[in-house]
Amino acid sequence: MKKLLKTAVVAIAVAAASFALAQPASANSFGPVAVGDGTVSYNDGEDQFCAQAYNTEGSRWVEVTLVPLSRSGPSPTWRDYNNSYDHPGSTCRSLATAYEDTYYRADIKTYWGERGTVVNRASRYFYS
């Protein structure tokens, strides 16, 4: 019985290691993640951070400020407006000039016309 248990534990460990090694190289990618009035996402393979305001229920926008924390790098601020502003689709910014694995904070604000206020959303942290 002990030998069978030992064999099972080894098999599980090998399977877990195989799975961990098989993960894609762009492990820092995420999203899209809901941020109240839209979404944000990061594609590590393309070095693109994108924001998209929801195209429902009146005028909306999502504003993103990217702040490099571990090294110097680009620090853009931009807004994505929805189709009420005649701008359907997302707005992206490139981090291709950032050093690989720079630690970033994305500060996110959103606006919805029916609410009439700007809301500071939780920051998102990631590596470029």
Side-chain angles (χ1 to χ4, degrees):
M1 184 67 170
K2 283 184 179 181
K3 190 173 184 176
L4 181 61
L5 182 60
K6 193 183 236 183
T7 303
V9 169
V10 169
I12 290 170
V14 169
S18 298
F19 179 75
L21 295 174
Q23 294 300 308
S26 59
N28 295 321
S29 297
F30 65 84
V33 175
V35 292
D37 299 301
T39 62
V40 295
S41 62
Y42 179 65
N43 182 322
D44 192 40
E46 295 179 12
D47 292 319
Q48 292 281 315
F49 195 102
C50 298
Q52 183 168 5
Y54 290 139
N55 287 320
T56 58
E57 302 179 36
S59 53
R60 295 175 187 259
W61 52 255
V62 175
E63 180 180 284
V64 177
T65 299
L66 298 179
V67 180
L69 299 175
S70 63
R71 304 176 192 185
S72 63
S75 184
T77 297
W78 75 98
R79 285 183 183 170
D80 178 71
Y81 296 90
N82 72 355
N83 59 8
S84 291
Y85 295 101
D86 293 326
H87 185 270
S90 61
T91 302
C92 303
R93 293 295 181 266
S94 174
L95 293 177
T97 60
Y99 289 105
E100 186 65 25
D101 293 329
T102 298
Y103 193 51
Y104 268 90
R105 182 183 74 229
D107 295 329
I108 302 161
K109 297 178 184 177
T110 66
Y111 172 81
W112 178 29
E114 290 188 25
R115 187 179 57 239
T117 59
V118 174
V119 178
N120 288 315
R121 302 296 178 172
S123 296
R124 178 84 187 191
Y125 294 86
F126 66 99
Y127 287 92
S128 66

